[in-house]
Amino acid sequence: MIIENVSSNKVFDGWHKQYTHQSAVLNCNMRFAIYLPPQATNNQKVPVLYWLSGLTCTDENFMQKAGAQRIAAELGVAIVAPDTSPRGEDVADDEGYDLGKGAGFYVNATEAPWSRHYQMYDYIVKELPELIESTFPVNEQRSIAGHSMGGHGALTIAMLNPDRYQSMSAFSPISNPMNCPWGQKAFTAYLGKDKAFWRIHDASELMRQAKRFVPAKVDQGESDDFLTEQLKPEMLEAAAKASGYPLEINLHQGYDHSYYFISSFIEAHLRFHATHLNK
C-alpha cells in the first residue's frame, strides 16, 4: 500500500508525522497521524496506542491539544490517530455535525448511502493496523483509547476484539448510544431501524454481557454539558457491576468535555496502557 508523508515534526526526540493513503475499505483517501517515540528504531519495535477522536474531529485534535507526546516518549509507546470518518467529495454527508463526515461512529454501515464508504470498524480493526505494522517500527502489542464518540469506539472495538488489545480507555465516552440522541441518530442512519443490530456497538450492552475482559479505564468530567443526555456513564458503571468487569471509572469535579480535561489526565491513561502493553 502506497502512503505519502505530508508533514513531520520532531517532538521530545521522537517524530509526529502525518500520512495519507488510499483506503480500500473506505473507498477514499484517508489521513492519519503517528507519533513515533525515540525508542522506535530499526532495531527496536514499540507498542502502539490507537486514539479515536470525537465528533467533528480529525487526526489533528488529539496530537495538537492533548500534550501526550512527552509521556509517550518517556514510556516508549507510539500513538496512532486516524481521522473520524471517510472524506471526499463523493462521500455521503449530512447537514448535522453528528452524522456523516467527522461522525463515522466506528461502525460498518449497512444502509445506503452510507455503506459505500462508512466502514470505519474494519478500517480501525484491520486495515489501519496492518498498514502501521508493515510500515513503521512497531510491534503487535496494541491498546486503544478515545474521547466521546471515540470513547464509544474504543470501548466497543476492544470488547469485540479482546485478543487484539491489551487495554482500553476513554474520556467522556458515549456509554449507551442505543439510548441517547447522538447514538440513535447515527445508528438509525448507518445500521437501520432494527435495534438488534445496534447492541454490538453499545458499550454498556457489551460490558453487561462480557465473558472475557480487557482492562478498562474511564474518566468523566462532572461539568460536562453532555453528561446527562448523551454520555450516561452510570449505565456503563452498572453494566460493569453486573458482569464483574474490571472497569476503573473516575468522575472529576469541575471538568467539562474539552481537551483541557483530556490534557489534565492523559498522563494517567498513557501510564495505564503502558503497564499492560509491557506485560
Side-chain angles (χ1 to χ4, degrees):
M1 185 182 297
I2 298 174
I3 68 172
E4 180 180 355
N5 179 225
V6 295
S7 73
S8 297
N9 301 93
K10 193 169 185 178
V11 187
F12 294 106
D13 290 325
W15 288 93
H16 166 269
K17 299 185 177 186
Q18 286 179 307
Y19 290 88
T20 60
H21 73 102
Q22 183 66 30
S23 169
V25 169
L26 303 177
N27 295 306
C28 67
N29 199 51
M30 289 294 287
R31 190 178 72 189
F32 67 87
I34 183 169
Y35 177 69
L36 292 167
Q39 297 87 340
T41 66
N42 291 333
N43 297 319
Q44 181 177 351
K45 294 184 176 183
V46 298
V48 182
L49 174 67
Y50 288 85
W51 174 270
L52 307 184
S53 289
L55 291 168
T56 76
C57 291
T58 68
D59 64 286
E60 294 185 334
N61 294 72
F62 178 79
M63 291 300 200
Q64 293 181 4
K65 296 180 180 180
Q69 291 90 342
R70 178 179 63 86
I71 304 303
E74 174 194 329
L75 298 173
V77 175
I79 301 174
V80 172
D83 204 344
T84 54
S85 77
R87 303 283 180 171
E89 292 183 2
D90 63 336
V91 173
D93 200 9
D94 184 81
E95 293 181 355
Y97 71 93
D98 51 358
L99 184 67
K101 295 178 186 178
F105 269 83
Y106 306 102
V107 302
N108 285 343
T110 58
E111 303 297 303
W114 312 101
S115 56
R116 181 166 178 256
H117 294 101
Y118 286 77
Q119 304 295 309
M120 287 297 292
Y121 176 89
D122 281 350
Y123 180 69
I124 298 299
V125 175
K126 300 174 184 178
E127 187 179 40
L128 184 60
E130 289 174 3
L131 173 61
I132 297 298
E133 290 164 16
S134 65
T135 305
F136 301 100
V138 302
N139 57 39
E140 295 182 356
Q141 295 290 101
R142 312 174 198 93
S143 290
I144 192 166
H147 171 231
S148 195
M149 177 187 71
H152 137 78
L155 298 178
T156 56
I157 285 173
M159 285 189 280
L160 290 168
N161 299 274
D163 291 330
R164 290 185 64 84
Y165 300 98
Q166 303 301 310
S167 53
M168 63 183 186
S169 75
F171 290 87
S172 317
I174 304 174
S175 296
N176 189 203
M178 291 183 65
N179 294 305
C180 78
W182 279 342
Q184 290 167 347
K185 179 179 178 178
F187 285 5
T188 299
Y190 296 147
L191 304 174
K193 295 181 180 180
D194 187 347
K195 293 186 178 182
F197 295 109
W198 298 8
R199 294 186 183 281
I200 63 167
H201 297 292
D202 187 298
S204 294
E205 291 289 325
L206 289 172
M207 193 165 282
R208 185 176 298 276
Q209 302 299 324
K211 303 299 181 184
R212 300 176 62 193
F213 300 151
V214 179
K217 178 179 177 65
V218 169
D219 283 84
Q220 173 66 59
E222 291 185 334
S223 295
D224 192 317
D225 289 341
F226 306 111
L227 180 63
T228 301
E229 183 179 29
Q230 304 283 11
L231 304 180
K232 302 183 183 297
E234 70 279 1
M235 300 301 292
L236 192 68
E237 188 171 23
K241 289 180 179 179
S243 63
Y245 209 98
L247 171 67
E248 174 192 340
I249 186 165
N250 304 295
L251 301 178
H252 300 276
Q253 184 178 6
Y255 285 93
D256 58 20
H257 200 70
S258 72
Y259 268 84
Y260 294 110
F261 172 47
I262 295 171
S263 64
S264 297
F265 298 98
I266 191 61
E267 179 174 349
H269 280 242
L270 288 171
R271 294 193 184 283
F272 165 77
H273 289 297
T275 298
H276 296 283
L277 287 166
N278 291 325
K279 281 186 178 179

